[in-house]
Amino acid sequence: KLSPEQVTATELAGEPISAIMTTAPGNGAPIGGLKVTTTIDMTVQNASTDAAHAELGVLQEDARAAAVTIDPATGAVRGYYGGDDSNGWDYANSPLQTGSTFKIMTLAAALQQGIDLNTYYSSAPYQLPGSQLVTNDVGAGCGSCSIAEAMKNSYNTSFLRLQDDLENKTQDTADMAHALGVPRSLPGIEKTLTENGGTPYEGIVLGQYQSRVLDMATAMATLTNRGLLHPTHFVEKIVDANGEVLYQVDNDYTERRV
């Protein structure tokens, strides 16, 4: 029988599967006819692909996009787009700088520590240690406004100040991201969301460090599910030619993360 460890998101991501050929232990004899039920919903899949193409259509030729849709109630991947080249780079499963989407991790940490969405923060330029002055996109700002408004408008400087108010500052942003589902290690990155294995720099709130689109979708699903994580998966069931169920996902399994 197949163990859950043999059915992994990394192996199956983005590839439609109707059957798997494997070998019997000991003699290497092929075993065929396995029926694999994936989690992909073709309506969601097609919408994901169309949305990515639409976004890319107005950008420069070398721009790339990725999209992952996860059902928060089960962890099932309903749509997955990592690019159009099946033999090329899978951008949904590749560690890349996240950008401002990562602000949600700092916001979640702040809410857990009792900082209210209506707490006001300045959006004025923010001085990092040293000489770098951080501003907002094209000089945007609100003067001083609620962190909810700052989130809506993605004000960099407001979120740097919010992160400063966390008990452990940048480390709390990293810890929240890990709690919500961002892995602590990735291929080529021994320790994620760290500065050479140590405390991350201030830029973590602005997406300075690498994670995958797949990880961010998992984190958003965990938040949507009120802090309960369902393991992200692509396969619902595997049945052999005789009708025996070799693998069945446990949709009732959850982990309280926040």
Side-chain angles (χ1 to χ4, degrees):
K1 290 188 177 183
L2 296 177
S3 69
E5 290 74 18
Q6 292 174 282
V7 185
T8 66
T10 300
E11 293 168 352
L12 301 175
E15 299 184 18
I17 297 176
S18 58
I20 293 176
M21 295 296 292
T22 186
T23 58
N27 58 21
I31 302 172
L34 298 185
K35 181 179 179 181
V36 179
T37 303
T38 73
T39 60
I40 297 297
D41 180 324
M42 288 309 301
T43 299
V44 178
Q45 180 64 33
N46 291 333
S48 299
T49 303
D50 291 346
H53 288 163
E55 291 294 325
L56 288 171
V58 298
L59 300 175
Q60 67 270 23
E61 187 176 344
D62 62 350
R64 298 293 182 266
V68 177
T69 303
I70 295 175
D71 181 352
T74 64
V77 177
R78 300 304 185 192
Y80 186 99
Y81 175 82
D84 292 323
D85 184 356
S86 60
N87 295 314
W89 201 260
D90 180 355
Y91 288 94
N93 197 39
S94 303
L96 298 166
Q97 286 186 321
T98 310
S100 284
T101 306
F102 218 76
K103 288 171 181 166
I104 192 69
M105 307 301 183
T106 302
L107 182 60
L111 291 172
Q112 189 176 51
Q113 293 181 21
I115 300 175
D116 192 88
L117 284 172
N118 293 317
T119 303
Y120 269 57
Y121 284 90
S122 170
S123 64
Y126 180 90
Q127 182 72 57
L128 288 174
S131 60
Q132 187 173 358
L133 188 68
V134 179
T135 60
N136 298 311
D137 186 40
V138 296
C142 62
S144 182
C145 57
S146 70
I147 200 62
E149 185 68 17
M151 185 70 190
K152 177 181 176 182
N153 293 284
S154 193
Y155 293 144
N156 298 333
T157 57
S158 300
F159 270 83
L160 282 163
R161 291 183 171 91
L162 174 64
Q163 184 172 249
D164 267 350
D165 279 352
L166 299 180
E167 293 172 4
N168 299 293
K169 303 186 184 301
T170 61
Q171 190 59 54
D172 284 343
T173 297
D175 289 346
M176 177 56 70
H178 286 144
L180 293 175
V182 174
R184 294 184 179 275
S185 65
L186 289 169
I189 306 175
E190 183 179 356
K191 294 182 179 180
T192 62
L193 308 181
T194 69
E195 190 59 34
N196 297 321
T199 303
Y201 287 160
E202 288 81 359
I204 185 172
V205 65
L206 306 181
Q208 173 181 345
Y209 296 99
Q210 294 179 330
S211 59
R212 302 172 301 180
V213 174
L214 182 63
D215 305 328
M216 294 300 293
T218 297
M220 296 306 104
T222 304
L223 277 177
T224 302
N225 200 37
R226 298 181 180 274
L228 286 175
L229 181 145
H230 287 270
T232 299
H233 60 280
F234 290 81
V235 172
E236 294 282 358
K237 182 189 293 186
I238 301 176
V239 180
D240 69 11
N242 298 317
E244 181 181 2
V245 176
L246 304 180
Y247 173 81
Q248 174 75 60
V249 70
D250 181 3
N251 284 324
D252 293 328
Y253 176 81
T254 60
E255 298 175 16
R256 168 60 66 185
R257 292 301 185 93
V258 293

